[in-house]
Amino acid sequence: MKGLGPVIAEMQKKFGSTSVVSMADEALYSRVTSGISTGSIEMDIAIGKLGLPRGRVSDITGLESSGKSTAAGELIASTHKYPKGAVILGDPERAYDVGRIKSMGGDPERILVLQNDTLDEYFNAHEAALRKLINRKYAPITSICDSIAGFQAG
């Protein structure tokens, strides 16, 4: 292990052997073979032709009113094209419009909305919701939090 080897070894000792690895070890990386469409062919192509990769965490950032919530709505609709597709939606600002989600092709019956006050509460509720959906064989499961800034400190 050259380069960052000593740093990686120290971190693995403290946090576990799979917590930090070298990108040079390609055997540790799975290839992205499927994705969820963003609803925009141009964006899907720009990020790898498949949309947002399934099984990965993706972050949509941008200025206020730049289309982040619209992109999230398109992801919801794309997820619901799958018969068992489900969405966990963190909405601390209570800003989502069910009519708009429906008009984009989303199915409100397959969206769990988490409206926690703090980020800690949200992560706990999110973990529980994700486990329940996985146990009930929902797939794909898209998780959206709009927006982290809406949570209270604490």
Side-chain angles (χ1 to χ4, degrees), residues 11-103:
M11 292 184 71
Q12 286 177 338
K13 187 174 181 182
K14 184 171 182 175
F15 299 108
S17 63
T18 60
S19 64
V20 73
V21 296
S22 170
M23 188 170 269
D25 191 351
E26 292 183 33
L28 296 173
Y29 292 93
S30 62
R31 302 285 183 240
V32 174
T33 58
S34 65
I36 301 290
S37 176
T38 62
S40 164
I41 293 170
E42 293 85 359
M43 189 179 294
D44 288 350
I45 290 170
I47 58 177
K49 297 187 178 128
L50 299 170
L52 295 176
R54 287 178 65 173
R56 301 289 201 280
V57 174
S58 299
D59 185 29
I60 299 171
T61 59
L63 299 173
E64 193 172 321
S65 298
S66 63
K68 299 178 300 294
S69 294
T70 299
E74 292 291 346
L75 285 169
I76 290 170
S78 291
T79 300
H80 289 159
K81 290 179 181 175
Y82 296 85
K84 295 277 287 181
V87 174
I88 301 171
L89 175 63
D91 183 22
E93 297 171 340
R94 290 140 174 93
Y96 268 79
D97 176 1
V98 69
R100 183 154 188 243
I101 295 298
K102 285 181 180 179
S103 73

Side-chain angles (χ1 to χ4, degrees), residues 141-153:
I141 302 166
T142 298
S143 179
I144 297 167
C145 184
D146 190 357
S147 89
I148 298 289
F151 291 106
Q152 299 172 11

Side-chain angles (χ1 to χ4, degrees), residues 122-142:
Y122 168 75
F123 281 131
N124 289 330
H126 181 273
E127 180 181 13
L130 187 58
R131 288 182 190 279
K132 290 184 184 307
L133 291 172
I134 290 169
N135 288 340
R136 288 172 175 77
K137 309 277 190 257
Y138 282 91
I141 302 166
T142 298

